[in-house]
Amino acid sequence: MPSLKSVKTGAISAMILTSAMMMNDAEALTVYTAGPGSLAKSLAAGFEKQTGVKVNIFQATTGKVMARLEAEQANPQADVLISASWDTAEDLQQRGWLLPYQSPNAANVPAAFKTDAYVAQGISALGIVWNTNSHTPEPKTWQDLTGPAFKDQVTTPDPALSGASLDLLIGLQNGEGEKAWQLFDQLKANGMVISGPNAQAVTPVLQGAKAAVFGAVDYVTYNNIAQGEAVKVIFPENGTVVAPRPMMILKTSQHAADAKAFIDYVLSDEGQQQVAKAWLMPARTDIKAQRPLITEIKLLPVNQEGGSERAAVLKRFATLFGQ
Amino acid sequence: MARALFNGLILLALLVLVALPLLFIVLQALFPHLSEGEWRGAFSALPTLLEDPQLVPMWLGTLKIGLGVALGSLLLGLPLGALRGLFRLPGAALWDLLFLIPFLTPPYIVALAWTLALQRNGYVAQLTGLNFDSLLFSSSGMMLVMTLNIFPVVYFAVSRALMTSGQRLAWVARVHGASAWRAFWQITLPLTLPALAGGVLLAFTLAIEEYGVPAALGARAGLTLMTVGIEQKLADWPIDLPGAASLSLMLSVVALLAWFCQRKLTGSSDVTAVSGKPVSQDAADPGGWQWPMLLLFTGTTLLAVALPLGAMTLSGLLNTLSGGIHTSNLTLRHFAALFSQQGDALTAFSTSIGLALGAALLTGLLGFLIAWRVAEGKTRLLALMDGLALLPAAMPGVVIGVGLILLWNRGFWPVSPYNTLAILLLSYSCLLLPWPVRYVSSALRQLGPTLEPAARVHGATRIQALRLIVLPLVAPSLLAAMMMVFAVASRELVTSLILAPAGTQTVAIFIWRQFEQGSVGQGMAMATLTLLASLSLMLAALALLRGKSG
């Protein structure tokens, strides 16, 4: 290896490394977030513009974010956490990890979507994603997907990987009891397949390999529709569940004041409009959105919480689908 | 004295790079509350893990896929590698480059590309009406996709070994009356055995620690492999760190067993092919067999490279997936969008390339030194060194990632690479160190034991002998390994996802997020551009090197 070249590359990598270290300055606010990366970015940019405080974002799926949080327990790094699953917030609250804070801007957030330690950033709902070119009749209810027209045409996210998908199973069980399990039985008999997390279930429907997704997160698909994809989001007449996305401040935060200001910003008019732009329902009821709001969707009864119930539902579903 | 110091330095590097992160994973598996900094509840995670009814099927599935892929890679890589190493193949450098492409493309993208191409109403079906849905989503489909992705390790190992050793011994056999086939079977093949065994073993370990393809196809094929099982423990709340750590340890044990098998198989048979006498490196002329050979290479390339790459590029070019393949549905908007996203895509690209270069240089240097030291003797210390250097091949990326967090994100370190790009460099180097070690080891095993002493007798210092004799002789293997390190590191996903400092993106993270947000087109456009850029970089590097040496 020519020595001049290695000196050069060495110098370049050293430069990259030092500049990266300098970027992570101690004064910045660190936000761990699941969900739309573009939203996290625009929120960070807006907040920085308003307050001058730099925001470092770590964005991944809820699972990855929580794994990192858990592994970092010995020396926590995150100030603010935005998760895609309400459960995680409840759990962290029980562990006593959260700093109580009620934002003045949360006044117009419905009581169901805030507690004294966490509050929804935005809300998504689960629905059927249906390919309009698929030569199948437009489904109106979950049961429609068990009909002969949808034989081998349905896919669903893996509830073990998608918290929202598990919420739907629990919602259906709470709403319809054993009838919900008959529905899953029939879906299985009709050839429904399980495929990875949300995006992996939707892509085959976009291409037309499958006609519909049973229980997909809606905002991703609204985004696809805006890009011109021939799909439709359908909220079944018999009801579905919503997935509020909790934000919270970690007790270990060294920048509590900035963290509170960040929550305020996300719940401000400007912040909530950005949430709406990402095709989510804004947490505040007084902000307009370009998509159906929670008042326009029929909801299944809210589940009585219990970790064992989640585990039991997941196990029963996994057994049913032979995984 | 100098030798002891040298060993000490290498061991220190191995300690930091491999042993410590691993130690913390073991500790995490044993002490479930380690991440909180507490030692209580030792061993309490194990019973739950062993009672898991999924454990046995997961094991069997993983072994089945691993063995299938190893066998497939052998069947595909050995003949291709042998032909490449023995004969004057037209466009030899081009084929090498083409077979590097599977490494430049992230496995999850390849799996997604195959899915988009082969599933019902996929690209192949849209163009030809043929539908491979049921083949793709089965365990044979998984093996096929993984084999086509992994076989180049065998190809490179075999072809490089043959090129280093030359055909001199086989010619001797021919002169003494052996048929060409017999010379190959009894001389050439045994000579390449260490490299072949190393390559096949690497294929096996790569297959069992692969995450992308099992994650993309596994659920539909009804198979949960170990890596996916480990990911699942980390994917939904509550996170099961101890469970993931224990599963990973089990996986590592399998890979270690494979490594012991390889040592047992090839350890006693030392072969010397490079003895210092002048060797004419001229490969044989294939004569009339040139065309069938080219046909074989073309066919493999079409299947392993052109088809997934075509599907990838096409997905980047289609305006909408639901629009299908029509000229009216073609657009460059996904490519254009990459340049307009506040420079995100470009930053991600330069970050990845810089890290990959760093990892290639670091692992190349360290790997070469380790392989050279290990080849010199059979002491327990050297075996330990060898074992440590190869161990990461058995560790799934996600676990190395968690291990590095557990190790470095502690209050007691005065300085820590955590939350800087250095942690990514550490993780890539840890993950990829086995490559140079393996490739250089198998090349070193063919060097005559007298070459270095001869140089020393003639007054060369140890370092001079190393630099002027040993290094040039193993350079082709080392370079090939470093290219692979570069290729893999430039698109590494799993540890990047978990370790990237807040606010930093690599290419793989960028693409992954596009997919997560339903922008398949943009993810694929980025994958295509990155592939083209990395390929040109490699070509340029090759041209530079060739210019220097010639």
Side-chain angles (χ1 to χ4, degrees):
Chain A
M1 184 128 304
S3 60
L4 181 66
K5 203 169 136 247
S6 27
V7 169
K8 260 192 203 157
T9 34
I12 292 170
S13 9
M15 261 151 45
I16 293 174
L17 290 179
T18 41
S19 60
M21 282 183 217
M22 270 152 38
M23 275 190 322
N24 288 294
D25 54 307
E27 288 320 301
L29 189 69
T30 303
V31 177
Y32 283 15
T33 171
S38 50
L39 172 61
K41 237 186 137 175
S42 61
L43 285 173
F47 178 68
E48 193 177 339
K49 207 169 147 200
Q50 210 174 66
T51 60
V53 177
K54 190 172 157 26
V55 181
N56 283 328
I57 296 167
F58 172 69
Q59 190 254 325
T61 49
T62 304
K64 289 269 175 353
V65 170
M66 300 316 279
R68 182 155 163 158
L69 206 64
E70 179 109 18
E72 283 178 350
Q73 269 183 89
N75 188 25
Q77 304 282 338
D79 298 308
V80 176
L81 169 68
I82 305 174
S83 159
S85 151
W86 201 248
D87 266 11
T88 54
E90 275 167 2
D91 200 347
L92 291 184
Q93 167 77 327
Q94 272 166 20
R95 293 190 190 191
W97 286 24
L98 302 183
L99 184 79
Y101 177 60
Q102 276 243 322
S103 168
N105 292 348
N108 282 326
V109 177
F113 302 129
K114 61 183 174 190
T115 72
D116 51 3
Y118 46 99
V119 56
Q121 170 206 38
I123 301 152
S124 67
L126 288 167
I128 296 172
V129 171
W130 173 63
N131 185 321
T132 53
N133 291 339
S134 63
H135 308 292
T136 49
E138 180 173 339
K140 302 278 184 217
T141 64
W142 298 116
Q143 276 74 17
D144 285 351
L145 297 181
T146 61
F150 287 97
K151 175 83 185 146
D152 294 330
Q153 291 278 7
V154 183
T155 169
T156 192
D158 188 345
L161 297 174
S162 159
S165 177
L166 179 55
D167 280 345
L168 175 64
L169 299 187
I170 293 170
L172 282 166
Q173 181 183 272
N174 286 334
E176 309 192 3
E178 275 310 299
K179 261 177 73 188
W181 288 99
Q182 283 168 22
L183 169 68
F184 303 147
D185 263 337
Q186 289 162 353
L187 284 167
K188 154 104 179 156
N190 209 26
M192 180 173 84
V193 291
I194 298 184
S195 36
N198 195 67
Q200 259 184 48
V202 178
T203 313
V205 173
L206 293 180
Q207 205 187 27
K210 299 280 168 191
V213 188
F214 173 89
V217 178
D218 56 356
Y219 68 90
V220 178
T221 306
Y222 282 123
N223 198 20
N224 287 330
I225 297 170
Q227 305 279 310
E229 297 286 358
V231 285
K232 193 170 173 183
V233 183
I234 297 156
F235 297 112
E237 288 161 3
N238 37 344
T240 186
V241 299
V242 290
R245 314 164 62 80
M247 359 178 226
M248 57 216 98
I249 303 171
L250 279 306
K251 212 174 224 167
T252 45
S253 167
Q254 304 284 315
H255 313 96
D258 287 340
K260 288 174 180 173
F262 183 78
I263 304 273
D264 292 347
Y265 175 74
V266 177
L267 291 173
S268 71
D269 289 359
E270 191 182 310
Q272 287 291 289
Q273 265 148 21
Q274 308 214 35
V275 170
K277 233 190 255 170
W279 300 97
L280 286 159
M281 294 177 231
R284 272 170 54 181
T285 48
D286 58 335
I287 302 287
K288 282 205 181 64
Q290 42 191 349
R291 46 152 297 153
L293 289 176
I294 198 156
T295 44
E296 300 157 53
I297 300 171
K298 181 165 187 286
L299 293 181
L300 288 161
V302 182
N303 48 330
Q304 309 86 12
E305 202 34 58
S308 57
E309 184 195 19
R310 299 186 71 79
V313 169
L314 195 56
K315 200 168 169 196
R316 188 165 169 189
F317 190 81
T319 318
L320 175 62
F321 278 84
Q323 279 201 294
Chain B
M1 190 58 218
R3 184 173 302 198
L5 183 73
F6 200 63
N7 281 348
L9 279 177
I10 293 180
L11 271 178
L12 184 70
L14 278 173
L15 190 74
V16 172
L17 219 50
V18 182
L20 279 178
L22 234 65
L23 175 72
F24 273 78
I25 294 160
V26 176
L27 290 177
Q28 175 73 65
L30 298 182
F31 303 97
H33 299 281
L34 177 76
S35 53
E36 302 154 40
E38 291 178 32
W39 300 99
R40 69 194 149 86
F43 298 102
S44 63
L46 280 176
T48 4
L49 183 75
L50 294 177
E51 280 161 18
D52 190 344
Q54 275 197 16
L55 193 64
V56 173
M58 208 151 70
W59 267 112
L60 295 178
T62 305
L63 287 179
K64 180 175 142 192
I65 296 288
L67 291 173
V69 173
L71 185 69
S73 302
L74 176 70
L75 291 178
L76 198 58
L78 175 60
L80 288 173
L83 290 175
R84 166 74 176 93
L86 295 178
F87 294 99
R88 210 175 303 126
L89 178 73
L94 176 74
W95 298 114
D96 283 356
L97 200 69
L98 283 170
F99 288 158
L100 257 183
I101 290 182
F103 289 96
L104 280 166
T105 29
Y108 63 91
I109 292 196
V110 173
L112 186 60
W114 277 95
T115 312
L116 288 170
L118 293 193
Q119 70 186 351
R120 183 163 65 185
N121 208 30
Y123 300 136
V124 171
Q126 287 176 32
L127 291 172
T128 66
L130 293 172
N131 158 10
F132 295 93
D133 216 64
S134 48
L135 169 68
L136 182 65
F137 297 111
S138 68
S139 52
S140 3
M142 273 165 82
M143 279 186 223
L144 191 72
V145 170
M146 287 165 88
T147 300
L148 287 175
N149 225 15
I150 289 175
F151 87 91
V153 294
V154 178
Y155 167 83
F156 281 112
V158 171
S159 62
R160 287 311 175 275
L162 285 172
M163 281 157 74
T164 326
S165 63
Q167 273 292 79
R168 200 170 37 85
L169 294 176
W171 288 125
V172 173
R174 295 296 303 277
V175 167
H176 286 84
S179 69
W181 184 244
R182 193 164 164 203
F184 174 76
W185 199 244
Q186 296 197 330
I187 309 285
T188 313
L189 192 65
L191 279 178
T192 46
L193 216 53
L196 185 64
V200 171
L201 172 75
L202 191 56
F204 174 78
T205 39
L206 275 178
I208 63 171
E209 63 122 43
E210 158 75 68
Y211 170 70
V213 177
L217 304 178
R220 295 274 307 269
L223 266 179
T224 306
L225 302 196
M226 294 289 279
T227 46
V228 179
I230 293 167
E231 275 287 310
Q232 270 178 9
K233 295 205 176 293
L234 297 171
D236 205 24
W237 194 253
I239 306 298
D240 184 6
L241 269 184
S246 318
L247 270 189
S248 318
L249 286 180
M250 291 184 177
L251 189 58
S252 320
V253 171
V254 179
L256 268 184
L257 284 177
W259 172 69
F260 276 123
C261 288
Q262 185 222 358
R263 273 182 83 97
K264 275 266 173 298
L265 278 176
T266 60
S268 52
S269 60
D270 268 331
V271 281
T272 302
V274 182
S275 60
K277 297 190 186 88
V279 178
S280 94
Q281 290 288 355
D282 268 352
D285 189 345
W289 287 98
Q290 182 176 330
W291 292 111
M293 254 170 73
L294 280 179
L295 203 67
L296 188 66
F297 273 80
T298 313
T300 312
T301 308
L302 279 179
L303 207 58
V305 182
L307 195 124
L309 240 58
M312 184 173 108
T313 317
L314 189 59
S315 312
L317 287 171
L318 288 183
N319 187 24
T320 60
L321 266 184
S322 52
I325 306 177
H326 291 291
T327 41
S328 61
N329 195 27
L330 293 178
T331 173
L332 284 174
R333 76 176 169 104
H334 297 305
F335 287 88
L338 293 180
F339 294 95
S340 60
Q341 285 175 331
Q342 302 142 19
D344 256 17
L346 291 177
T347 328
F349 180 73
S350 59
T351 308
S352 280
I353 295 297
L355 284 170
L357 258 180
L361 292 173
L362 191 63
T363 56
L365 177 70
L366 192 59
F368 170 69
L369 293 177
I370 292 169
W372 169 65
R373 285 299 296 127
V374 169
E376 281 201 333
K378 288 196 174 347
T379 67
R380 198 163 291 171
L381 182 76
L382 294 177
L384 174 76
M385 233 186 233
D386 195 23
L388 266 182
L390 294 178
L391 199 55
M395 305 298 295
V398 61
V399 174
I400 293 189
V402 170
L404 283 169
I405 299 185
L406 291 175
L407 165 64
W408 288 114
N409 191 35
R410 299 264 154 186
F412 54 72
W413 297 112
V415 245
S416 160
Y418 190 67
N419 249 338
T420 71
L421 278 182
I423 194 87
L424 286 179
L425 186 64
L426 277 183
S427 76
Y428 296 168
S429 301
C430 172
L431 273 174
L432 297 171
L433 183 63
W435 295 63
V437 175
R438 273 227 180 84
Y439 276 59
V440 176
S441 293
S442 61
L444 281 173
R445 298 182 78 123
Q446 299 187 332
L447 291 193
T450 50
L451 284 180
E452 225 188 314
R456 299 295 300 279
V457 165
H458 286 86
T461 65
R462 209 173 152 68
I463 300 299
Q464 272 175 333
L466 185 66
R467 194 164 62 87
L468 297 173
I469 309 288
V470 181
L471 184 60
L473 285 173
V474 298
S477 299
L478 178 61
L479 210 65
M482 284 171 67
M483 293 269 260
M484 283 206 188
V485 171
F486 177 83
V488 178
S490 63
R491 51 79 170 161
E492 203 282 334
L493 172 72
V494 181
T495 62
S496 313
L497 267 180
I498 206 154
L499 287 174
T504 310
Q505 280 198 342
T506 66
V507 165
I509 299 179
F510 181 91
I511 297 173
W512 184 256
R513 288 186 185 156
Q514 298 302 323
F515 288 160
E516 256 172 31
Q517 288 150 40
S519 316
V520 175
Q522 234 171 78
M524 288 300 198
M526 179 71 173
T528 312
L529 268 191
T530 314
L531 176 70
L532 287 177
S534 323
L535 261 184
S536 352
L537 269 178
M538 283 187 160
L539 273 176
L542 276 181
L544 256 179
L545 285 172
R546 195 152 303 156
K548 291 268 177 199
S549 63

